[in-house]
Amino acid sequence: MTTVLVTGGSGFIGGWCALALLEAGYDVRATVRDRRREPALREQLHAAAEFDDARLTVVPADLQRDEGWAEAVTGCEYVLHVASPTLRNAPESEAAMIATARDGVLRVLRAARDAGVRRVVLTSALGAIAYGHAPRSTPFTEEDWTDVEADIAPYQRSKTLAERAAWQFIAEEGGALELAAVHPGAVLGPVLGPDDPPSLRVIRGMLTGALPACPPFGSGWVDVRDVADLHLRAMTDPAAAGERFLAVAGRSLRVAEVARILRERLGPRAAKVSAREMPLLVARALSLVSPPLRALRPQLGRDFDATSAKAERVLGWKPRPIADTIAETAESLLAHGLQ
């Protein structure tokens, strides 16, 4: 069987990528920073699908260290490089976040090249495409790049610089190694276990009433299961080599629109969900003192509309309706006691 390495296998996207690979018949080798996360990862994946436990191997590897990467990629035909600093595990400074993301992707690419891996699929983000630009009426596409000199958050800057470094490496040192990149918008969907991925905190905050008003911005949203599916398509399709693919399900939705969908689909269980949008001036003022809003400051008042037409045309990818995903995300959070 073909073996695929998934970096960051215990994360939200990484876990679903590992599950999709196992269901598709691949053997999976997943990296985790902390080996103590292996039992929980195995338990969550087995709860979601039936597979021979021997087909899943979990190995320790850290983006900030060279140790372990050569062993992790040995014998793998493909690599899904999902691991990256997030709002949950971010280093203390912006410089450290950027260095971890950029140096980490280069460690993975070097190890993959040296091991004869055929293709690496990099999990980038809409944040590497749509930020730092003036307002526009047309949707963002894969031709766009985030302006790292603009007023953007550290996460978006780190994702952009890491991807830039990846493409430069492939052009200058990659040899026969191929690269494709997937750029999800705001990722929602069911959780595999009692985890708290940063991408679901908006839904969680709505359900608990922690968001008395919705931040005034809009973004593309996408189901984590569809993100995993796009990774697998980008991994094997010859047309994906050297390409970037946006992953969003339809048009941009304001956060308040997401709240209204929750109220419509969950009824009384969404009693604490507020669909009121915070006035922009109020949001900007509060962002000076509120850490969550401070992180969103570059997004306030904006709509980050993007299109996945390329992924649909080239790879035959088709995302599920985002309203279904929003409802299923909430159902999953409630079922796992994360309300």
Side-chain angles (χ1 to χ4, degrees):
M1 289 185 181
T2 297
T3 300
V4 182
L5 177 70
V6 179
T7 72
S10 60
F12 184 42
I13 296 176
W16 278 103
C17 284
L19 185 62
L21 288 163
L22 289 165
E23 291 184 320
Y26 294 95
D27 284 352
V28 173
R29 188 177 300 154
T31 71
V32 292
R33 286 190 306 156
D34 187 342
R35 193 61 179 266
R36 290 173 295 182
R37 300 203 69 173
E38 178 178 352
L41 174 59
R42 287 187 180 277
E43 181 180 350
Q44 291 166 14
L45 293 178
H46 277 297
E50 292 185 7
F51 61 91
D52 182 347
D53 193 61
R55 293 177 50 218
L56 173 65
T57 306
V58 180
V59 297
D62 190 320
L63 295 179
Q64 300 182 72
R65 300 178 182 275
D66 292 332
E67 295 79 15
W69 289 110
E71 295 81 2
V73 299
T74 297
C76 294
E77 187 169 353
Y78 303 105
V79 173
L80 304 186
H81 180 42
V82 186
S84 189
T86 68
L87 296 176
R88 177 174 51 183
N89 62 11
E92 293 182 2
S93 69
E94 177 175 352
M97 175 180 257
I98 292 170
T100 299
R102 182 185 57 222
D103 296 349
V105 75
L106 292 177
R107 284 187 172 94
V108 171
L109 289 174
R110 287 193 190 100
R113 177 202 60 194
D114 294 346
V117 168
R118 179 182 299 184
R119 183 180 298 175
V120 172
V121 179
L122 170 66
T123 309
S124 190
L126 176 62
I129 286 178
Y131 287 72
H133 301 283
R136 56 193 278 181
S137 58
T138 57
F140 289 98
T141 74
E142 292 85 355
E143 298 299 316
D144 296 302
W145 280 90
T146 285
D147 180 2
V148 295
E149 302 300 325
D151 178 22
I152 61 175
Y155 175 74
Q156 280 81 31
R157 188 172 283 111
S158 74
K159 295 297 283 188
T160 307
L161 292 173
E163 191 191 349
R164 288 279 196 189
W167 289 115
Q168 183 177 356
F169 174 88
I170 291 296
E172 297 177 357
E173 306 176 50
L177 180 63
E178 297 174 345
L179 179 67
V182 173
H183 295 74
V187 183
L188 302 177
V191 292
L192 289 171
D195 205 350
D196 182 29
S199 57
L200 302 191
R201 288 178 184 170
V202 169
I203 305 296
R204 185 173 184 271
M206 290 176 178
L207 292 172
T208 61
L211 281 181
C214 298
F217 74 91
S219 181
W221 306 76
V222 66
D223 193 296
V224 67
R225 295 164 291 186
D226 295 330
V227 174
D229 174 60
L230 185 53
H231 276 73
L232 268 63
R233 292 171 185 266
M235 182 180 81
T236 58
D237 196 313
E243 301 291 342
R244 312 168 84 205
F245 297 98
L246 272 161
V248 292
R251 66 175 180 86
S252 168
L253 289 180
R254 304 283 286 192
V255 178
E257 292 181 271
V258 174
R260 284 193 286 272
I261 291 170
L262 281 176
R263 292 177 65 88
E264 291 168 3
R265 298 290 288 267
L266 268 70
R269 289 177 298 164
K272 296 180 181 180
V273 176
S274 170
R276 181 172 63 90
E277 184 169 280
M278 186 182 301
L280 179 57
L281 290 178
V282 173
R284 285 177 172 163
L286 288 176
S287 70
L288 299 175
V289 296
S290 166
L293 278 176
R294 186 181 302 125
L296 295 173
R297 185 173 177 81
Q299 299 167 235
L300 298 177
R302 298 289 306 277
D303 280 283
F304 294 92
D305 198 20
T307 174
S308 288
K310 180 179 177 181
E312 296 178 32
R313 182 184 70 254
V314 176
L315 302 181
W317 182 70
K318 185 174 177 60
R320 67 200 70 201
I322 198 60
D324 291 347
T325 296
I326 291 168
E328 289 177 35
T329 301
E331 296 279 6
S332 177
L333 290 174
L334 291 169
H336 283 87
L338 297 179
Q339 70 273 20

